[in-house]
Amino acid sequence: MGQRLNIEIHSGDNVLANAYYHWSGYTRSSIELAKRIVADHDKVQEENQTLRAIRLLELTGARLTNVEIEHAKSVGLDNQFEPADSRNAGLIAISEKGMAETQLWEEARVTIDLADNTVTFDALWSYSKEEYVDNYSQEEYEKLGEWSHDQDPTEPMSFEALDAFSQYIDDTIDGGSYTLKFTKDDEPSVVGFIE
């Protein structure tokens, strides 16, 4: 069984499209896929927002399934689409049913909101300090590296903040740790990486 990821493209509260990735719900692989979309989001200009969302997800290697290609045609998207060949590379959904199925299977989610250029990164474990100390120890908590940026890693972050967050995670993992502490609403909190 993979670690199943759902990347969703939103415009505000409206979900435009999502993609299911069977093996990419790990922290670093999720960030890498999100960075591909964010890096070129301004180069993908389509008048139709659903088509733009599809093209953005295609930057990751994901493709529409045959069922979703037929749905796209039924809603007036007569564009050429290369059909999906692998759940590992990503299966794009734009129908209500298809997107709901992806949400049902997800174990991690990255939400990219085109209305305000933010990424909400939910490919982490989140704990209160008390939960962490109860499961490990106060001594282990004290050893954790600290995310000192103003950005709460569990809340939407700007496209610009994604690179710094990605680099911090890489450095933390390369240093042998899969957990960091931060302060949220004046309360000490902990996030763990899914790796």
Side-chain angles (χ1 to χ4, degrees):
M1 184 63 70
Q3 184 68 27
R4 301 178 300 243
L5 173 67
N6 171 18
I7 295 182
E8 293 201 340
I9 307 293
H10 287 215
S11 180
D13 292 333
N14 186 22
V15 183
L16 301 171
N18 66 19
Y20 170 90
Y21 305 83
H22 193 66
W23 289 100
S24 297
Y26 301 95
T27 300
R28 283 205 278 196
S29 54
S30 297
I31 285 179
E32 288 308 311
L33 291 173
K35 284 168 55 179
R36 288 184 202 170
I37 295 169
V38 168
D40 289 329
H41 79 280
D42 56 344
K43 296 177 186 169
V44 177
Q45 298 299 322
E46 298 285 352
E47 192 171 316
N48 182 290
Q49 287 301 296
T50 300
L51 180 58
R52 182 173 184 222
I54 292 168
R55 297 302 186 210
L56 288 169
L57 290 166
E58 286 177 340
L59 294 172
T60 68
R63 299 291 183 262
L64 289 165
T65 64
N66 287 326
V67 169
E68 294 296 315
I69 289 173
E70 290 306 311
H71 177 78
K73 289 177 183 174
S74 77
V75 296
L77 296 177
D78 292 325
N79 306 74
Q80 288 296 110
F81 297 109
E82 182 183 329
D85 64 357
S86 167
R87 65 186 182 171
N88 298 335
L91 306 175
I92 299 172
I94 59 170
S95 69
E96 206 170 296
K97 180 181 178 185
M99 290 190 294
E101 189 172 302
T102 296
Q103 291 168 345
L104 178 69
W105 285 101
E106 73 185 14
E107 293 174 300
R109 180 187 291 188
V110 174
T111 303
I112 297 174
D113 192 333
L114 302 176
D116 59 8
N117 288 348
T118 59
V119 178
T120 304
F121 194 76
D122 188 21
L124 304 162
W125 300 112
S126 186
Y127 313 89
S128 69
K129 176 186 175 184
E130 292 75 23
E131 290 171 319
Y132 187 84
V133 169
D134 285 348
N135 287 319
Y136 299 95
S137 69
Q138 180 68 33
E139 183 180 343
E140 287 297 316
Y141 175 79
E142 297 302 330
K143 292 179 186 176
L144 296 177
E146 186 156 8
W147 173 252
S148 57
H149 298 271
D150 291 336
Q151 174 66 52
D152 175 344
T154 64
E155 295 293 326
M157 65 183 75
S158 70
F159 284 178
E160 295 76 23
L162 185 62
D163 276 336
F165 183 57
S166 173
Q167 187 61 56
Y168 191 86
I169 287 175
D170 284 344
D171 292 346
T172 302
I173 292 172
D174 291 345
S177 178
Y178 293 86
T179 316
L180 62 88
K181 59 186 172 185
F182 69 102
T183 301
K184 178 178 182 172
D185 301 327
D186 296 324
E187 292 292 325
S189 298
V190 176
V191 290
F193 311 141
I194 303 167
E195 287 298 309

